[in-house]
Amino acid sequence: MRILVAVDQHPYSAHVVKDVAKLAGNTWADVTLVGVGPKMTYIGQPSNKAEKKHPLTKALRNYRRNFLDYFEKEESPYEKRACNYEFVEVKRGVWEELYICRGAMKDLKIVLRSGNPVKEILAQSQEDDSDLIAMGCYKSGDCQWEGAVNIPQKVANNAACSVLVIKKEKKIRKIACCLDQENISQKSIEMINQMVTLYQTELEIVGLTDGTALKPMVEKNLDAILKYYNARQIKAWIKLVDVASMASFISQEARRSMMALWMGEHSLLSKMFPRGKVDKLIRGSESSVLLLR
Amino acid sequence: MGDEQKTKILILDDEPIVLNRLKPALEKSGYNVEAFSRSLEASNRIMEQDFDIVITDLKMEGLDGMEFLTQVKERSPLTEVIVITGFATMETAKESFKKGVFDFLAKPFKLGEIKEVVAKAESKIRGNR
């Protein structure tokens, strides 16, 4: 799994880094911490000078240290290994002794970009081929991001991968997962699985109904999902919600649960839940929000 | 290249959708791939034949992936094992590495990511030969 953590200098970013460290501790994901700020005006300066010259460099370095502190050094997949001379087969039958620095098992990099925060975060995600973008936001109200508003919403609406907007210090007890049972993607189920494991929560699988009986295929899909979770000792149940009341259900549920919405290309939810409503959900939700793709 | 010379890979995952995605992708990259959704069948197969690389899920019904990993390493210590898991925890990651896995990948991952890991494992195997 590849995770992109978009950070700024607000306290919620420190919280996001903490949560992502836990997720990375479970998944041994490749992680990039990205900050977007004013243009860098120096190259190769010693670290203390760099910190004075750019406001984000210090924050990024602190986040990296906090991330690494989550792991015991001997067991960390991000710990750099020693450098040695090793014979390497450079082509079949030809060996060359090269000075090899065995890197960490998994990548942790910090990247500083300048420009429009939304464009830069999305560009970094594309370059990394991320599976998940994680970013923070205050518990209620607009998400202020270094002077710009609603950056998490804009990223969430435009990303090609899943986006997790983490609200600070809210204990997650339940994930309410709206999957659009006719077009469930494997990727979205897998992302939910990691979240359920990370937060040790119960799982409410929300199915859509138009008030009539469920189609046999839909019923079969939902039943298969439930059996899948039960077989893995995850407390899960199905709740059917009428299409007409889905939007109000989501906004109410967001007050007490982490909402996970599948917003993939063919998702009915993406039609029912346009950009404006996603903005409102992220702004109004007291808990974290996961948009799955 | 004949089938005998190709790198032999066994995949075990109880989710057929994963096998359906992974097997053709690795075959297209030139590997000789056998895929199993039942751990018992995979377990019997590794007793008959050594594989260069084994890719296994962890949380499955029947034989647990960790037990399967142990079996593979006991039977064929040079086989490189790649763990793929949908329910990753720090403990399973640590235990996998203690048991000598080559890499640990949490789902979801892109095909490119697992292909990279398989290529690294193959390169290590060639280096050991």
Side-chain angles (χ1 to χ4, degrees):
Chain A
M1 193 196 287
R2 290 173 178 152
I3 305 172
L4 176 68
V5 192
V7 291
D8 62 1
Q9 294 182 83
H10 287 281
Y12 54 69
S13 283
H15 182 71
V16 172
V17 171
K18 211 168 101 186
D19 268 20
V20 172
K22 278 187 215 161
L23 179 60
N26 287 354
T27 59
W28 292 36
D30 289 318
V31 176
T32 302
L33 303 175
V34 65
V36 185
K39 199 173 177 183
M40 289 277 242
T41 53
Y42 59 87
I43 297 169
Q45 298 253 8
S47 62
N48 58 341
K49 282 190 181 171
E51 284 179 6
K52 277 180 196 157
K53 283 198 170 182
H54 199 292
L56 261 175
T57 49
K58 192 176 177 185
L60 280 164
R61 285 177 176 145
N62 285 341
Y63 293 145
R64 177 172 57 193
R65 199 178 52 239
N66 294 344
F67 180 96
L68 291 172
D69 281 349
Y70 178 74
F71 299 86
E72 285 176 38
K73 208 172 174 183
E74 309 76 49
E75 293 174 336
S76 170
Y78 304 99
E79 196 61 38
K80 296 282 179 204
R81 311 287 171 208
C83 302
N84 280 308
Y85 282 103
E86 288 179 25
F87 275 100
V88 174
E89 189 177 25
V90 286
K91 58 183 175 181
R92 202 170 278 260
V94 179
W95 294 76
E96 188 179 334
E97 193 178 32
L98 299 172
Y99 192 61
I100 305 283
C101 286
R102 290 274 166 218
M105 277 189 255
K106 300 289 172 176
D107 287 337
L108 170 65
K109 58 180 180 182
I110 60 174
V111 175
L112 185 55
R113 301 182 71 115
S114 61
N116 175 307
V118 177
K119 281 186 184 163
E120 295 304 319
I121 292 166
L122 294 176
Q124 187 65 44
S125 153
Q126 204 172 2
E127 282 165 31
D128 286 355
D129 206 6
S130 316
D131 298 292
L132 179 71
I133 300 173
M135 53 199 309
C137 176
Y138 284 125
K139 208 160 142 186
S140 57
D142 285 329
C143 298
Q144 293 286 342
W145 250 72
E146 301 297 335
V149 287
N150 301 337
I151 302 294
Q153 287 95 317
K154 288 173 189 163
V155 170
N157 272 320
N158 294 293
C161 64
S162 297
V163 178
L164 174 63
V165 180
I166 298 175
K167 300 275 178 134
K168 198 169 166 271
E169 306 296 350
K170 170 88 179 180
K171 167 80 184 146
I172 296 166
R173 295 181 197 284
K174 184 177 85 181
I175 297 178
C177 177
C178 307
L179 282 173
D180 180 358
Q181 64 270 18
E182 289 195 50
N183 294 294
I184 302 161
S185 80
Q186 178 70 12
K187 261 196 311 183
S188 60
I189 290 180
E190 289 168 352
M191 191 61 79
I192 286 292
N193 298 345
Q194 303 297 0
M195 293 298 150
V196 168
T197 311
L198 173 67
Y199 292 113
Q200 296 286 299
T201 60
E202 299 174 344
L203 181 63
E204 183 173 77
I205 301 156
V206 181
L208 297 171
T209 166
D210 58 3
T212 59
L214 288 175
K215 290 181 204 162
M217 182 52 95
V218 169
E219 203 170 335
K220 201 177 151 196
N221 275 353
L222 285 173
D223 191 47
I225 296 176
L226 194 59
K227 278 188 181 148
Y228 174 87
Y229 285 112
N230 289 341
R232 284 155 180 83
Q233 286 79 50
I234 289 167
K235 190 176 174 190
W237 62 93
I238 287 172
K239 185 181 180 91
L240 292 176
V241 176
D242 196 273
V243 172
S245 55
M246 192 64 180
S248 65
F249 166 80
I250 289 173
S251 61
Q252 275 182 18
E253 194 67 29
R255 289 181 199 152
R256 49 183 177 264
S257 314
M258 172 174 163
M259 291 305 304
L261 307 180
W262 185 54
M263 304 293 273
E265 266 178 44
H266 306 291
S267 165
L268 184 62
L269 281 165
S270 65
K271 292 183 191 100
M272 290 167 49
F273 225 70
R275 283 160 186 256
K277 283 189 179 172
V278 171
D279 282 8
K280 211 172 148 190
L281 172 66
I282 293 173
R283 204 168 52 237
S285 170
E286 289 185 24
S287 193
S288 302
V289 176
L290 175 63
L291 296 184
L292 297 156
R293 291 194 174 88
Chain B
M1 195 188 286
D3 269 7
E4 281 308 303
Q5 290 164 297
K6 286 183 180 176
T7 297
K8 288 192 276 293
I9 300 179
L10 180 145
I11 313 172
L12 169 60
D13 197 310
D14 65 352
E15 292 172 55
I17 195 165
V18 175
L19 298 178
N20 295 343
R21 200 168 68 115
L22 214 46
K23 187 173 186 277
L26 291 173
E27 281 174 340
K28 206 175 164 190
S29 300
Y31 299 107
N32 184 355
V33 185
E34 291 186 33
F36 296 87
S37 59
R38 291 165 195 266
S39 48
L40 192 63
E41 287 170 14
S43 178
N44 290 337
R45 186 66 182 129
I46 58 153
M47 294 301 162
E48 297 166 358
Q49 153 110 54
D50 284 348
F51 287 83
D52 299 303
I53 298 169
V54 165
I55 301 172
T56 180
D57 191 7
L58 279 187
K59 215 167 188 173
M60 292 174 292
E61 288 182 61
L63 181 74
D64 180 59
M66 205 62 84
E67 290 170 46
F68 182 65
L69 158 59
T70 310
Q71 276 187 7
V72 172
K73 281 296 194 186
E74 278 174 4
R75 169 88 173 84
S76 167
L78 292 180
T79 298
E80 295 298 347
V81 182
I82 298 162
V83 163
I84 51 173
T85 178
F87 297 87
T89 64
M90 175 84 96
E91 288 68 35
T92 50
K94 281 187 198 169
E95 200 183 339
S96 301
F97 277 94
K98 274 184 195 153
K99 287 182 186 287
V101 296
F102 180 77
D103 209 340
F104 181 91
L105 288 184
K107 300 174 190 173
F109 51 75
K110 304 226 167 53
L111 281 174
E113 194 179 352
I114 193 149
K115 278 190 198 169
E116 268 177 40
V117 174
V118 167
K120 280 184 198 165
E122 188 188 28
S123 163
K124 186 183 171 195
I125 291 163
R126 277 203 195 146
N128 285 340
R129 272 176 192 160

